[in-house]
Amino acid sequence: MASPAGPEIERLIRLLARLPGLGPRSARRAALALVKRRESLLSPLAEAMAEVSDRVRICSVCGNADTSDPCAICADSTRDASILVVVADVSDLWALERAGAVQARYHVLGGVLSALDGVRPEDLNLPNLRARVADDGVREVILALNATVDGQTTAHYITSLLADLPVRITRLAHGVPVGGELDYLDDGTLTAAIRQRGDV
Amino acid sequence: MASPAGPEIERLIRLLARLPGLGPRSARRAALALVKRRESLLSPLAEAMAEVSDRVRICSVCGNADTSDPCAICADSTRDASILVVVADVSDLWALERAGAVQARYHVLGGVLSALDGVRPEDLNLPNLRARVADDGVREVILALNATVDGQTTAHYITSLLADLPVRITRLAHGVPVGGELDYLDDGTLTAAIRQRGDV
């Protein structure tokens, strides 16, 4: 393929195409939008990336991404340190924080066990989890993992990993999503919602 | 909305969300991918953007984006300067160059006329077009514009704009796309393909 755009722009396109959600064609469109809006978009974005690259670190305690290490959540003494929420990914931590679902500490695994993708226990942030639960006066571990096969496999693994420690292990409730319509839900969700029904 | 990701990352997400093809949710995913792959993706991308921002200019002759002004295409003396290909956007120029469709000069309008979007002739790179055609010894203007209502309106406008100049004005052929199946083509394309049929 000829390179009418010049090597600098072609390099930008190749790198943009590696972002999730962008393919080669949309990366080309994005690069063009950046070139066209150099002052309003390209320069600020280049600066924002350089700043994130310089300043953002992965928290050595929980695995969150923040400008400080330990991260703001780990350093927040107003949070309930006796509850540890285990999530697969930083995006799940962000989702729970956006929802304001819980004021506790987190532990980011960095993925879930997967036979298909070859993710083994030693590939995840698991040894550190056991150490934290054993040492830090944690009384409850909430397994906030996806309701997928891999997520639930990981939940089972963690449950047996922590079985000998004096800690309560809980998982997220299954049920009807808020705003959800029964007609569109799968059988497993409806069965779980009936089985875990509560008094009005 | 709470900002669990910190102000630097939130700013990066906001800027990424302004790229075409990325919404707020996919921008968040992209930002997370960048944070996770700082060495292999974030730093190179920040550098590539800074370099494009520093070096890429819009060619003052044709409107192409390149590191030199005039751009490499305008400066290429092996190209046929008597043919001028009018395109709406730099992306169209890139597409024609990738295809190697024509070895000529280009003129990028920077859009098409649109009553709906309020794009008027003075918003496009049109005065310059007339001057180029009048001065540069151009013998043929190829209107390589989209086969949309706005594209064809723009083609008509340019045809009348250049009517008094001694220049041949052509447009792209309509017909069956190479590899296309008749069954999936619209009536207009099929009619045009029959009407403009050629001998075998």
Side-chain angles (χ1 to χ4, degrees), chain B residues 10 13 20-21 29 32-33 44 64 69 87-88 92-93 98-99 108 118 120 137 140 151 157 169 176 178 184 189 198:
Chain B
E10 287 295 331
I13 292 170
R29 272 177 58 217
L32 191 67
N64 186 20
D69 182 11
V87 292
D92 302 327
L93 187 160
R98 278 201 303 279
V108 181
R120 297 156 305 171
E140 178 176 355
Y157 183 89
I169 301 180
V176 181
V178 176
Y184 291 92
T189 303

Side-chain angles (χ1 to χ4, degrees), chain B residues 67-78:
Chain B
T67 44
S68 55
D69 182 11
C71 73
I73 291 174
C74 286
D76 181 355
S77 60
T78 67

Side-chain angles (χ1 to χ4, degrees), chain A residues 128-140:
Chain A
N128 199 8
L129 171 63
R130 202 188 140 84
R132 284 185 78 187
V133 173
D135 295 348
D136 281 6
V138 174
R139 285 186 294 111
E140 179 176 356

